Amino acid sequence: QVQLVESGGGLVQPGGSLRLSCAASGRIFSFRSMGWYRQTPGNEREWVATINSRDTTFYADSVKGRFTVSRDNAKNTVYLQMDSLKPEDTAVYYCRLNGDYWGKGTLVTVSS
């Protein structure tokens, strides 16, 4: 009943920026938190950032200072602003609502 759709991925050069969106729809009765994760082939899915219902944000050390997570409550949408991108940021990025629901992912490729 809940659907999450990520968008905004694409190809960027090192040092560039992208803004990812995660739009939620369906039977969402409350918002506790939205997390961003990423995964590359052969690796475990890793946590990147989280925003909770109090708008407190948390970041993995690998992205702190470069990524910013925010939300638009009226649109049921969470964003991930990614700046100063590095090749190692290349991955499929997923959003996760309340620790229960996953989106299908959007691919980010950082390359020259």
Side-chain angles (χ1 to χ4, degrees), residues 37-103:
Y37 296 75
R38 65 187 183 187
Q39 187 172 26
T40 55
N43 294 302
E44 298 289 331
R45 190 169 297 182
E46 65 174 342
W47 171 75
V48 173
T50 293
I51 185 167
N52 66 19
S53 60
R54 301 167 73 176
D55 279 337
T56 303
T57 56
F58 307 87
Y59 301 93
D61 289 341
S62 58
V63 306
K64 187 170 294 186
R66 300 187 297 118
F67 290 12
T68 304
V69 63
S70 61
R71 63 174 178 150
D72 185 333
N73 295 339
K75 296 181 178 180
N76 281 342
T77 300
V78 173
Y79 304 95
L80 184 67
Q81 177 68 42
M82 305 185 297
D83 299 319
S84 301
L85 283 163
K86 305 174 181 179
E88 51 262 45
D89 295 319
T90 296
V92 176
Y93 284 72
Y94 301 86
C95 57
R96 187 185 189 186
L97 174 64
N98 292 339
D100 297 327
Y101 305 99
W102 291 94

